[in-house]
Amino acid sequence: MNDTTPQITRDYLVQLEASMSGVRPDVRAEMVAGIREELDGLDAAAAAARIADLGDPTFIAAEAAAATESDPRPSESPTAAPPQPQPAPSRALPITAALLIIVGTFVVPIIGPLVGLVLMSFSMAWSRREKIVAWLAPLAVTLILATANAIVIAMQSSPATEARNAVTPGLGLGGWHLIILIPYLVLPIVGVVLFVRASRRNWQA
Amino acid sequence: MTADVGTQLRKGVVEFCVLGLLAREPMYGWQLSEKLVAAQLIASIGTLYPMLSRLRTQGLVTSYDEASASGPVRKYYRLTPQGSSQLETFRLQWEPFAATVFTFVGKDPE
């Protein structure tokens, strides 16, 4: 192709290449080169006639895509080495992580589940979304309970109930003691959910 | 059986038709395409190049660049010895095969 190439030829080749994005790269390159050779050197009239013979570029591209669909890739020729099977991912890390989240609080409070959550973050057994939810679930539950507790306490200290509360001081929703129980309730549930989800997927995200 | 009969028949033999054409002389893409489209063996040049790529991968066809009589350098395709042998095998089988099929599907003489 040079500056004297007719516009109709340029347009056709541009259209052809754009239509062939779904065709295997090696076939696409060879076909575009072959058609370019065929149009090279033709004046506008001759090129128009040849283009009419070649046909609609989108049709050519669709035919090429359909004809290469079932072909093995060039690198997958019978002589090429068969792809090595991927080694199964180790299950030790995710299982340890899930178990630490479930029972860690009862063994070493705070540190136990924290180590479990950190191990979970490095494991391939869970998606990024699952990891974020696992980290945020205890915090979200804590926040919700603390807010609910504060609201209940504020209501109990209103003038109408103050006199009664003077006798039996209110502790909201069981007081702040309830929040301390969260690691013992929420984290085991989070751990069990993580364990079940990962085991169903053979410990792969 | 629901697919177009012509399409199924073409699929089975069109690669050997390419080998047959190249057995006569080396040809470039457009030359091959023109003949095959005219004979309604392929719908467009879009079917030809994937086929040439397949035949080359199988070692039946090879390509080389050469200046054509009209000027531009073109990529020509020619048969390899393996391609010639494959074509010969097909020739030996085609005629008796076609005759056999005809004994089943041919109309009885009236």
Side-chain angles (χ1 to χ4, degrees):
Chain A
M1 286 298 125
N2 52 47
D3 291 337
T4 60
T5 305
Q7 191 59 41
I8 189 173
T9 302
R10 291 173 188 276
D11 291 347
Y12 186 81
L13 290 173
V14 166
Q15 232 185 319
L16 183 70
E17 286 206 67
S19 307
M20 290 186 53
S21 56
V23 179
R24 227 176 56 201
D26 57 318
V27 174
R28 179 172 69 216
E30 189 168 13
M31 189 184 308
V32 172
I35 292 175
R36 183 176 278 127
E37 281 169 11
E38 197 48 44
L39 297 173
D40 203 11
L42 299 181
D43 61 24
R50 186 55 48 87
I51 284 169
D53 288 342
L54 281 164
D56 180 5
T58 52
F59 175 68
I60 293 176
E63 287 244 299
T68 50
E69 253 172 19
S70 57
D71 282 1
R73 312 285 303 176
S75 58
E76 292 171 353
S77 63
T79 51
Q84 294 298 312
Q86 293 290 318
S90 167
R91 297 176 179 188
L93 177 72
I95 290 175
T96 308
L99 290 178
L100 275 173
I101 295 168
I102 296 168
V103 299
T105 304
F106 304 98
V107 183
V108 189
I110 302 174
I111 305 289
L114 197 63
V115 171
L117 285 168
V118 171
L119 289 179
M120 173 209 65
S121 302
F122 288 107
S123 169
M124 305 287 280
W126 295 283
S127 68
R128 181 179 289 182
R129 187 165 165 269
E130 288 172 317
K131 290 172 184 176
I132 292 170
V133 170
W135 274 101
L136 293 182
L139 298 174
V141 174
T142 306
L143 196 67
I144 290 165
L145 278 181
T147 308
N149 197 49
I151 291 168
V152 172
I153 287 172
M155 286 170 69
Q156 284 174 339
S157 52
S158 66
T161 56
E162 208 157 316
R164 183 158 39 90
N165 287 342
V167 183
T168 52
L171 290 171
L173 293 172
W176 300 104
H177 301 92
L178 185 63
I179 293 169
I180 296 169
L181 290 175
I182 286 171
Y184 295 94
L185 297 170
V186 178
L187 282 168
I189 293 170
V190 168
V192 168
V193 170
L194 288 172
F195 190 97
V196 170
R197 289 176 74 100
S199 63
R200 278 185 186 164
R201 297 187 303 243
N202 200 25
W203 301 92
Q204 280 179 299
Chain B
M1 291 297 281
T2 52
D4 174 37
V5 175
T7 306
Q8 290 193 24
L9 288 174
R10 281 192 290 274
K11 268 187 187 170
V13 298
V14 69
E15 290 188 3
F16 293 102
C17 294
V18 172
L19 297 183
L21 282 172
L22 295 179
R24 298 174 195 170
E25 59 171 336
M27 289 186 181
Y28 52 88
W30 172 251
Q31 252 182 316
L32 280 166
S33 170
E34 224 179 2
K35 288 187 187 299
L36 294 169
V37 170
Q40 297 186 334
L41 284 165
I42 60 172
S44 81
I45 200 166
T47 315
L48 175 69
Y49 280 95
M51 197 157 51
L52 289 172
S53 166
R54 216 158 34 232
L55 292 172
R56 191 169 41 209
T57 305
Q58 292 166 4
L60 306 178
V61 159
T62 186
S63 60
Y64 62 97
D65 290 335
E66 193 177 280
S68 66
S70 59
V73 173
R74 294 183 190 276
K75 179 174 271 189
Y76 280 81
Y77 299 86
R78 71 173 170 220
L79 278 193
T80 62
Q82 201 186 333
S84 301
S85 138
Q86 190 85 347
L87 177 62
E88 193 51 40
T89 306
F90 180 80
R91 280 176 182 148
L92 291 173
Q93 293 185 12
W94 175 251
E95 212 168 312
F97 175 76
T100 304
V101 172
F102 190 75
T103 62
F104 288 98
V105 302
K107 279 188 176 177
D108 292 330
E110 297 192 4

